C-alpha cells in the first residue's frame, strides 16, 4: 500500500504530536516544514515525553525541509496540515502554503479560532478545508516535546458549497483513518462548528483577560475577574454563536470556568505575552466580533477586550521591528 | 506676625513644591512627614530644579519628622495638606492623619480623583476639607525634585453641610494667601467640582488604558486605541459627571486627547505599572463608577476597565506580600 503524502506546516506541540500520530499509523508519509528547530531535528530528531506514547528519542518525519518551496519535491500532497499559530495579522498562511496546494489537496486546519476558513476559501475556492479542534496539551521547547494530556481531535469540514458534502466528508474520514491509533481519540464531528464555538467560550474570554491582566485563571477568579468580567464576556460569545446558528448550552460557562481546577492555569495567550510572542487575537477575538457586527449583535465587553489587545499586539510589532512610529507624536490631519 | 502651622503629608513632586511655596511666602511654617527620604533630606535637604524657582540646594521645611505621631509636637496645625498618592485600597489616609486632626484643622486634599472627600467627612464630619486640583508637573526621585511646568493650583472646598459656606470659603481663601507668590498660579475656584471632573476626563480614560496596554498616549493613538476606546470612555465620564450635576463641554474630549502633543507622554498610571507601584484606581476609576451606579448611568467601557485594573492591582498586592493566594486554586463553595 502506498503511503499518503502529508505536508505538515507548524511543528509546535500540537503539530509534532499530529506528525507522530500520522507516522505511527504507518499509512502516511509526513513531510514537515521546520524553521527554528530545523538543524537540531534534522540532526537528532525530536525528543518526546508523551502521556500516550511514553519517552521517545529521535523522532523524525519521513522528510524534513526548511521551506514550503523545498517540500514540493516530496509532493503532491493529499493533505496539507496546518498547525501553526494562527496570526493572520502577522503571517498569511494562504501565501505560505500556496506553492504546494493542488486541485486535489485537502487542507486541514488544526488551529484555534472562528472564521478561519474564510481566507482559505477566498484563495482556494475549490479545495476541501477540514476543521480540526484539538484538545491536546503539548508544548515544544526547542525540539523537546512535552505532551501531557491525551490527543483528542475532533474533525469535520468547513462546508464548501462548490463541492459535494459527500466528497468533503469522505476526505475527512480518510484523514481520520490516517491519524487514528489506539492512543489517540480522533473522531468525526458532525457538528464541528459547534465544537469550535464551544472552545471559543474559553479562548475568547479567559485567554485575552488573563493576557491583559497578567494573571492565571485561578488568580483571575480570586481577584474578582471571573465574576466581574468573564461571565459577561462568555454570555456575549454565546450570543454571537447563536447569531451564527450555533446554540451553546448556558452551563458551558461554568464548565469552562472550572475546567482547569485545581491548577493555577496560564492560558496560551498569557504565556505569549510573557514570552513577548504574538497572540492569536484576530482569529480568537477579531473574527467573532466581525460576525457579531454582520449579525447586529452588541458585545461591549468583547469589543473593548479586542481593542485593548490590538494595542498590545501593535506594541509588540513595534518592538519586533514590524512597524515603526514617527519620532514625534503626529498631530491629526 | 505668627506663622501658620501647616502639616504636609506626602512629599512627592507635588507635595514638595507645595511645601516650597508655603515656606516661600514666609507666612507658613511647614512640618513635613517624610518616609523614604527622611534620612537624606534631614541631612542635606531637597535638591530642586524648578522652572519657576531655578536651582535650589538644601531645601528643608521648618520641621521634618518621620511619622505623624512625631509631628504632634509641632501642632496644632491650622492646615493639614495631603499630597500623597491616593490609594485607599492600600492606605487609609484618614487613619494616617487622625492623630493630628483637631476641631480647628482644615484638611487640604491636593490629590486626584472623584468622591475623595467622602471618607474624610465620614471620619471628620465637622472639619473643613478643601479640594485642590493641581496641574503641576513635578517628580521627586529620592530627594531630587524636577519641576517642569508652572505650579497651577485651583482651590475650593468640598461642601460640608454642617458648616457655613462663608467659613469654608474664608478658610480656603486664607490657604490661598499662604500659598501664593509671584511664581505660582494659585486661585480660588468657585466651581472646583467642575475642575475635578474635567481633569478626570483625562485621568479616568487615558491613565487606565495606557496602564493596561503598556503604551504612551501617542502610541495608543497610532495603534487605534484613541478611536476604538478612549473617545467612548470619555463620553461615559461626561455622562457620569452630568448625573452628578456637572456639565462638561463636548470639546473637552479633543482637548484632553491632544493636550500632550507632540510628546509621546506616559500617564502616571502607566509609569506606576512599569515601576510596579500601586495605581490610584479607586479614586480615579472606582468612585466615578460608584456615582454612576447610584445615578443609574450605564458605563460599559469604564466598568470593564476598572475590573481589569482591580485584577492588576491585586496581582501587585500579591507580589508585594499584602495578600496571599491558597496553594491550590480553590473550588467554589
Amino acid at each position: 500500500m502506498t503511503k499518503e503524502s502529508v505536508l505538515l506546516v507548524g511543528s509546535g506541540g500540537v503539530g509534532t504530536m499530529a506528525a507522530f500520530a500520522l507516522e505511527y499509523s504507518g499509512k502516511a508519509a509526513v513531510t514537515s516544514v521546520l524553521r527554528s528547530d530545523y538543524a537540531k531535528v534534522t540532526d537528532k530528531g525530536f525528543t518526546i515525553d508523551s502521556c500516550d506514547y511514553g519517552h521517545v528519542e529521535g523522532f523524525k518525519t519521513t522528510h524534513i525541509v526548511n521551506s514550503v518551496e523545498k517540500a514540493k519535491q516530496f509532493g503532491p500532497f493529499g493533505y496539507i496540515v496546518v498547525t501553526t499559530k494562527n496570526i493572520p495579522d502577522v503571517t498569511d498562511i494562504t501565501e505560505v502554503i500556496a506553492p504546494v496546494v493542488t486541485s486535489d489537496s485537502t487542507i486541514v486546519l488544526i488551529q484555534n479560532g472562528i472564521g478561519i476558513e474564510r481566507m482559505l476559501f477566498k484563495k482556494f475556492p475549490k479545495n476541501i478545508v477540514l476543521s480540526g479542534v484539538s484538545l491536546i496539551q503539548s508544548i515544544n521547547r526547542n525540539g523537546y516535546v512535552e505532551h501531557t494530556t491525551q490527543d483528542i481531535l475532533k474533525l469535520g469540514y468547513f462546508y464548501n458549497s462548490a463541492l459535494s458534502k459527500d466528497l468533503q466528508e469522505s476526505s475527512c474520514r480518510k484523514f481520520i483513518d490516517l491519524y487514528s491509533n489506539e492512543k489517540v481519540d480522533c473522531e468525526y464531528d458532525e457538528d464541528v462548528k459547534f465544537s469550535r464555538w464551544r472552545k471559543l467560550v474559553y479562548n475568547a474570554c479567559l485567554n485575552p483577560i488573563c493576557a491583559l491582566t497578567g494573571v492565571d485563571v485561578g488568580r483571575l477568579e480570586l481577584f474578582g475577574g471571573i465574576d466581574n468580567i468573564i461571565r459577561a464576556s462568555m454570555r456575549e460569545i454565546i450570543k454571537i454563536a447563536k447569531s451564527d446558528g450555533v446554540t451553546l448550552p448556558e452551563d458551558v460557562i461554568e464548565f469552562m470556568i472550572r475546567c482547569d481546577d485545581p491548577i493555577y492555569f496560564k492560558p496560551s495567550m498569557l504565556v505569549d505575552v510573557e514570552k513577548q510572542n504574538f497572540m492569536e487575537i484576530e482569529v480568537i477575538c477579531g473574527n467573532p466580533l466581525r460576525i457579531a457586527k454582520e449579525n447586529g449583535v452588541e458585545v461591549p465587553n468583547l469589543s473593548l477586550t479586542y481593542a485593548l489587545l490590538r494595542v498590545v499586539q501593535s506594541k509588540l510589532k513595534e518592538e519586533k521591528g514590524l512597524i515603526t512610529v514617527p519620532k514625534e507624536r503626529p498631530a491629526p490631519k
Side-chain angles (χ1 to χ4, degrees), chain A:
Chain A
M1 191 183 90
T2 323
K3 290 187 179 183
E4 178 74 39
S5 278
V6 175
L7 181 72
L8 180 85
V9 182
S11 290
V14 175
T16 304
M17 292 318 297
F20 194 89
L22 289 161
E23 293 277 359
Y24 190 88
S25 76
K27 298 174 186 168
V30 178
T31 298
S32 53
V33 184
L34 301 184
R35 306 295 286 256
S36 52
D37 295 334
Y38 177 74
K40 189 168 179 182
V41 172
T42 307
D43 184 21
K44 296 187 173 165
F46 285 99
T47 301
I48 302 173
D49 273 312
S50 163
C51 57
D52 289 339
Y53 305 101
H55 182 76
V56 178
E57 292 272 354
F59 169 66
K60 293 182 185 183
T61 54
T62 302
H63 305 290
I64 300 174
V65 292
N66 59 6
S67 75
V68 171
E69 273 301 329
K70 286 184 184 154
K72 265 172 124 168
Q73 60 185 305
F74 304 114
F77 300 102
Y79 292 93
I80 297 167
V81 180
V82 180
T83 47
T84 53
K85 184 185 274 191
N86 205 343
I87 40 175
D89 53 322
V90 177
T91 305
D92 181 347
I93 192 68
T94 67
E95 292 289 338
V96 174
I97 63 173
V100 289
V101 175
T102 67
S103 58
D104 293 330
S105 311
T106 288
I107 299 161
V108 187
L109 303 181
I110 305 179
Q111 293 184 299
N112 286 323
I114 281 288
I116 62 175
E117 73 282 14
R118 292 185 178 196
M119 57 193 295
L120 273 294
F121 282 144
K122 200 171 165 192
K123 183 105 173 176
F124 312 112
K126 294 187 174 165
N127 285 78
I128 299 171
V129 181
L130 302 185
S131 174
V133 176
S134 171
L135 301 176
I136 199 173
Q137 283 188 18
S138 177
I139 298 173
N140 171 15
R141 293 186 189 85
N142 310 312
Y144 170 66
V145 176
E146 200 172 6
H147 166 213
T148 49
T149 69
Q150 194 196 4
D151 185 359
I152 301 173
L153 181 61
K154 292 169 188 290
L155 276 163
Y157 57 86
F158 292 110
Y159 178 57
N160 184 342
S161 58
L163 303 170
S164 83
K165 289 189 175 180
D166 284 352
L167 189 69
Q168 296 174 75
E169 180 172 337
S170 77
S171 176
C172 184
R173 291 198 181 272
K174 184 177 166 193
F175 184 77
I176 290 167
D177 180 56
L178 300 179
Y179 199 102
S180 292
N181 65 52
E182 72 283 7
K183 311 281 190 182
V184 305
D185 176 4
C186 177
E187 56 182 37
Y188 184 69
D189 188 341
E190 290 282 356
D191 198 358
V192 70
K193 190 175 171 185
F194 175 93
S195 302
R196 203 165 263 287
W197 272 108
R198 186 174 186 277
K199 190 175 179 188
L200 203 75
V201 173
Y202 187 105
N203 282 345
C205 302
L206 288 163
N207 264 292
I209 300 301
C210 289
L212 285 167
T213 56
V215 301
D216 55 67
V217 176
R219 283 178 172 76
L220 187 68
E221 181 163 43
L222 291 167
F223 300 162
I226 299 285
D227 287 340
N228 297 329
I229 304 168
I230 295 300
R231 283 199 179 81
S233 297
M234 287 181 170
R235 280 193 295 270
E236 291 183 358
I237 287 289
I238 290 174
K239 272 169 63 184
I240 309 176
K242 185 145 198 154
S243 81
D244 195 37
V246 172
T247 303
L248 295 165
E250 184 73 15
D251 64 5
V252 70
I253 291 177
E254 288 313 304
F255 176 84
M256 291 300 175
I257 289 170
R258 298 259 66 84
C259 70
D260 303 315
D261 283 353
I263 306 297
Y264 285 98
F265 184 74
K266 290 186 176 187
S268 58
M269 211 179 265
L270 169 59
V271 176
D272 284 336
V273 163
E274 291 182 342
K275 292 188 176 171
Q276 300 260 80
N277 289 333
F278 290 119
M279 300 171 289
E280 295 182 306
I281 66 171
E282 295 304 327
V283 298
I284 287 180
C285 304
N287 287 351
L289 282 177
R290 279 167 212 120
I291 293 168
K293 200 171 175 190
E294 286 165 18
N295 298 339
V297 181
E298 295 239 336
V299 284
N301 258 31
L302 297 177
S303 300
L304 177 53
T305 301
Y306 172 61
L308 289 166
L309 284 176
R310 277 186 65 182
V311 175
V312 176
Q313 186 97 318
S314 296
K315 181 190 178 206
L316 194 55
K317 285 178 188 170
E318 186 193 1
E319 285 165 359
K320 289 180 185 279
L322 270 63
I323 56 176
T324 54
V325 305
K327 206 162 178 187
E328 273 199 352
R329 179 185 176 188
K333 287 149 213 157

